[in-house]
Amino acid sequence: MQKLDVSLAERSYPIYIDRGLLGQDLIRGHVRGNQVMVVTNETIAPLYLDAVTRGLGDLQCDTLILPDGEQHKTLATLERIFDALMAHRHSRTTTLVALGGGVIGDMVGFAAACYQRGVDFIQVPTTLLAQVDSSVGGKTAVNHPRGKNMIGAFHQPRAVVIDTAVLDTLPEREFAAGMAEVIKYGLIRDPEFFQWLLDNQAALAARDTAPVAEAILRSCRNKAEVVAADETEQGNRALLNLGHTFGHAMETFTGYRDWLHGEAVSAGMVMAARMSLELGWLNQADLDRVSDSLAAWKLPVTAPEGMARANFSELMALDKKVQNGRLRLVLLNQIGDALVTGEYDPNALTRTLEAFCER
């Protein structure tokens, strides 16, 4: 078993990575009280809910099964978690367990941040994207019809338990969407990892155990280091949002239904790379490497059909990285070297949007 630590003083916590962890009592060891609420969705419950509840022993263990899909990541669904907690009389010493992908993890984390002003929760991510990104770092939120993740809080988990065996049942499209976030770490700060991903693409696509575990480990290590240095995104943690400003606009435009989060991030990263080229920072060969690395996973590298420049402008204006009326973007000096900046030629953004919105 691999173990990493996210170093945040009294809020530090471990990340465990191995096959078969759901069949062990690892989750039980991070529960401080005697009550647990396991929250999952309709897709994951038949596969893994029994294994998790068995590992919780003699604790009061209640469960809640929510509908699956990004379109359900709303305040209305969040209220169902609060209703269940109160119906089963959970106290402020309860622990919530998020068993699912990024949607479940974000909602359960936000519920834990709010319930009785903050209770413990444990992340048990079941998608590659959640394992390498959303389960680590304490960002929790729900969506609003006008913007993604606009309502939320920073609330760190007690532990992250990554059982790589759950990827055996993950659909190919979901696995590829997770690879977009894996590739992101290479682009923003780890060029050797980016090259390793290119060299091992076939083995990763075949889901060979060792390279998949290595990709998860290196992704989590990259994220843990960034989060430890900037927990609440006052500075360089924003680098983790490469492609997300463009991507969130695409998700909102499509109503959180047509594209997976990783698919939108993929197209968004190509847009960020193209804008970096427009600014004279990135060369054409590296732009092609970025695009080709994502296209190899059959991920989108263009904007959704019918999305116009005006749609991007309107939706990006609501992004959380807008400060004092200026949209800050994560861009690339080169592969492995990203920056967050609001100081750029607006014409470069205009040209980028026009290029990606031509239909």
Side-chain angles (χ1 to χ4, degrees):
M1 181 173 64
Q2 299 283 352
K3 179 176 175 289
L4 295 172
D5 288 306
V6 182
S7 300
L8 294 168
E10 71 277 4
R11 292 179 307 287
S12 297
Y13 54 92
I15 304 169
Y16 302 100
I17 305 168
D18 200 4
R19 287 186 68 87
L21 294 182
L22 296 191
Q24 303 177 20
D25 60 358
L26 193 59
I27 298 171
R28 174 69 178 87
H30 290 279
V31 176
R32 295 192 283 191
N34 61 6
Q35 293 177 310
V36 177
M37 173 75 73
V38 182
V39 183
T40 188
N41 65 37
E42 296 164 340
T43 302
I44 297 301
L47 298 172
Y48 304 117
L49 182 57
D50 285 349
V52 170
T53 55
R54 281 198 305 270
L56 292 170
D58 59 352
L59 297 172
Q60 176 191 332
C61 181
D62 300 299
T63 61
L64 175 65
I65 301 173
L66 298 174
D68 190 9
E70 184 82 27
Q71 67 270 29
H72 300 294
K73 188 178 165 183
T74 64
L75 286 169
T77 307
L78 187 74
E79 190 168 357
R80 291 183 57 180
I81 302 176
F82 297 139
D83 288 345
L85 287 166
M86 287 186 270
H88 293 284
R89 301 181 182 276
H90 280 248
S91 71
R92 68 189 337 165
T93 61
T94 191
T95 298
L96 276 63
V97 174
L99 175 64
V103 171
I104 287 292
D106 279 10
M107 285 197 298
V108 173
F110 189 29
C114 297
Y115 187 66
Q116 298 203 29
R117 299 187 176 90
V119 298
D120 289 347
F121 84 109
I122 296 169
Q123 289 273 20
V124 186
T126 58
T127 66
L128 178 61
L129 190 147
Q131 290 177 350
V132 301
D133 184 57
S134 59
S135 67
V136 179
K139 274 189 174 181
T140 72
V142 295
N143 298 331
H144 186 276
R146 297 187 65 182
K148 183 178 171 70
N149 292 336
M150 293 299 289
I151 307 166
F154 287 97
H155 190 57
Q156 301 294 341
R158 286 274 296 161
V160 180
V161 178
I162 298 175
D163 187 339
T164 58
V166 303
L167 299 180
D168 295 346
T169 60
L170 191 67
E172 183 176 340
R173 183 184 174 194
E174 292 267 6
F175 190 88
M179 284 304 304
E181 293 281 7
V182 174
I183 290 168
K184 175 194 72 179
Y185 293 110
L187 294 177
I188 64 171
R189 71 191 304 265
D190 196 342
E192 292 81 10
F193 184 38
F194 180 76
Q195 185 59 51
W196 182 89
L197 292 169
L198 297 180
D199 294 340
N200 289 274
Q201 201 270 338
L204 290 166
R207 306 197 199 184
D208 291 352
T209 299
V212 168
E214 179 69 12
I216 294 169
L217 177 67
R218 292 177 73 163
S219 297
C220 288
R221 181 180 293 128
N222 271 295
K223 183 156 190 181
E225 289 173 357
V226 173
V227 170
D230 180 20
E231 180 180 2
T232 58
E233 202 170 297
Q234 302 304 305
N236 281 342
R237 179 168 178 168
L239 295 174
L240 297 169
N241 294 318
L242 176 68
H244 285 57
T245 297
F246 297 108
H248 286 171
M250 290 183 259
E251 287 184 89
T252 305
F253 176 78
T254 57
Y256 307 115
R257 292 176 182 272
D258 297 340
W259 281 23
L260 299 173
H261 174 65
E263 293 172 335
V265 168
S266 171
M269 289 193 296
V270 177
M271 293 182 74
R274 172 60 184 266
M275 184 168 167
S276 301
L277 174 70
E278 294 284 353
L279 290 165
W281 301 345
L282 204 65
N283 60 43
Q284 183 65 50
D286 279 345
L287 171 58
D288 292 342
R289 290 181 75 207
V290 172
S291 182
D292 291 348
S293 70
L294 296 161
W297 289 95
K298 300 179 182 179
L299 289 163
V301 294
T302 59
E305 188 74 29
M307 189 169 185
R309 174 183 155 192
N311 300 126
F312 271 106
S313 298
E314 177 185 358
L315 294 169
M316 288 166 65
L318 293 171
D319 190 87
K320 296 183 293 298
K321 289 183 289 301
V322 173
Q323 289 188 356
N324 300 318
R326 183 79 173 181
L327 175 63
R328 298 185 306 147
L329 291 170
V330 185
L331 302 172
L332 295 173
N333 285 313
Q334 58 186 2
I335 289 176
D337 180 14
L339 74 160
V340 185
T341 181
E343 301 300 321
Y344 52 80
D345 179 359
N347 293 320
L349 178 57
T350 298
R351 291 192 299 270
T352 299
L353 295 179
E354 288 177 345
F356 276 81
C357 293
E358 289 176 354
R359 289 288 186 271

